[in-house]
Amino acid sequence: MIKPVLVIHGGAGAIPRTETTPEVRQQYEDALRQILNEAGAILAIGGSALDAVTEAVRLLEECPLFNAGYGAVFTSAGKHELDASIMNGKTLQSGAIANVTTVRNPILAARAVMERSSHVFLVGTGADDFAREQGLECVDPAFFSTTARREQLDRVQRTLGGGMVLDHDAQSLSAAPLDEDKKLGTVGAVALDSHGNLAAATSTGGMTNKQPGRVGDAPMIGAGCYANNRSCAVSTTGTGEMFIRMVAAYDVSAQMEYAGRTLEEATHSVVYDKLPTIAGAGGLIAVDAEGNISLPFNTEGMYRGYIKVGEQPFVAIHDKPEEALLSQDG
Ligand code: ASP
């Protein structure tokens, strides 16, 4: 019998070991736990994996702690450009949007593209206009700004000038459990429902100080998001350019389908073996059609958690104690 499961992530990155307080850490863990409980309830009443990942990502977008929707990072021009994608493992239907600036919940726009357009991927003003026409809530672009993110942009521009924010050797400047300036803060969710269907969703503000117009892996089906009932559902977080070049999310699925690998063998191959060969930093969450889970990352930490229906949620930021425990029976 299938035990439904929901897995989420809130981005991977470096850890300011000395500056994290238990209170701040608790804040992140509580947010993850609450989102798992709320979105996991959909699976508990027989709801679909697609609805569970949509709601989980919508809640992560609403939470300013995470870099998606409200609280998204700034581009080098001091604006927000949001990307999101979603995929249904049963039908391989997919929807994605990139560089939107007004849709309050980019994941809802991605889902609308999947279900209410004849396309897979809309970008820029066309995507914003489509979302508005579909009746989705649109906001002034300033809605997404928070003081913390503005200060983060200022810090990064002072420290790195025109550079990107992925230098994990740079000195920590933040009190959050994962350094906000070095965190690869995409959010995502994958799920298996009681009907045996898989789904994946990913949403991001991208990377702090990114060039206007830049699109990362998060909205690219196969790179930052993939779901197929024949194999697994995957959502990634990390240096998007490398995840695109590795076609990371699809590679996990392909290794399972074509090479007969287990979920864990496939995810470990991508995260620990393949991505590092091109300096790809980050991690992913994945669930297979049997309910096995894998949450590997090659950075110091990744905000992550999962809930199996009928059980308490598990959340973690730094250590990897769960790897050995994650089987459908575990
Ligand atoms: N993968 C995202 C991107 O490149 C960043 C992240 O994971 O935080 O836009």
Side-chain angles (χ1 to χ4, degrees), residues 211-262:
Q211 187 172 325
R214 177 262 189 191
V215 177
D217 59 324
M220 289 191 194
I221 298 301
C225 178
Y226 191 73
N228 185 339
N229 278 7
R230 292 168 61 91
S231 52
C232 60
V234 180
S235 172
T236 69
T237 170
T239 45
E241 282 71 8
M242 312 310 160
F243 282 68
I244 293 170
R245 288 164 57 190
M246 277 295 172
V247 200
Y250 178 70
D251 194 42
V252 174
S253 171
Q255 289 195 33
M256 293 178 70
E257 200 174 355
Y258 301 136
R261 294 202 160 159
T262 65

Side-chain angles (χ1 to χ4, degrees), residues 55-227:
E55 180 61 2
V57 169
R58 191 190 69 78
L59 291 168
L60 286 158
E61 288 176 344
E62 290 290 307
C63 179
L65 294 175
F66 303 108
N67 165 26
Y70 177 57
V73 299
F74 284 92
T75 67
S76 62
K79 301 215 159 71
H80 307 283
E81 295 178 351
L82 311 175
D83 306 334
S85 61
I86 190 162
M87 186 159 183
N88 181 344
K90 182 181 179 189
T91 59
L92 304 187
Q93 282 179 301
S94 314
I97 49 95
N99 285 349
V100 299
T101 58
T102 62
V103 190
R104 175 169 178 152
N105 292 112
I107 196 62
L108 298 185
R111 183 151 176 187
V113 170
M114 176 173 83
E115 293 179 335
R116 296 187 241 153
S117 85
S118 50
H119 306 296
V120 167
F121 205 162
L122 296 179
V123 303
T125 50
D128 274 305
D129 291 348
F130 172 77
R132 190 172 304 105
E133 285 158 16
Q134 292 300 316
L136 296 182
E137 184 177 351
C138 290
V139 293
D140 187 281
F143 165 85
F144 299 109
S145 304
T146 61
T147 307
R149 294 295 184 203
R150 171 69 69 182
E151 288 168 355
Q152 178 185 353
L153 176 70
D154 292 345
R155 272 199 308 273
V156 166
Q157 290 190 329
R158 261 199 323 272
T159 323
L160 301 175
M164 301 288 274
V165 291
L166 303 178
D167 179 7
H168 291 268
D169 297 329
Q171 205 201 336
S172 156
L173 295 167
S174 159
L178 299 188
D179 187 334
E180 287 298 305
D181 297 348
K182 290 177 276 174
K183 180 162 80 74
L184 313 173
T186 294
V187 307
V190 296
L192 170 69
D193 65 29
S194 57
H195 314 286
N197 293 321
L198 293 167
T202 307
S203 179
T204 191
M207 297 189 329
T208 300
N209 209 26
K210 69 182 179 182
Q211 187 172 325
R214 177 262 189 191
V215 177
D217 59 324
M220 289 191 194
I221 298 301
C225 178
Y226 191 73

Side-chain angles (χ1 to χ4, degrees), residues 252-300:
V252 174
S253 171
Q255 289 195 33
M256 293 178 70
E257 200 174 355
Y258 301 136
R261 294 202 160 159
T262 65
L263 182 77
E264 187 170 285
E265 287 167 351
T267 60
H268 285 203
S269 159
V270 170
V271 172
Y272 299 133
D273 300 337
K274 298 180 83 170
L275 281 165
T277 63
I278 56 168
L284 57 81
I285 54 171
V287 59
D288 70 15
E290 286 162 13
N292 299 304
I293 305 168
S294 186
L295 310 88
F297 51 94
N298 60 29
T299 47
E300 288 174 81

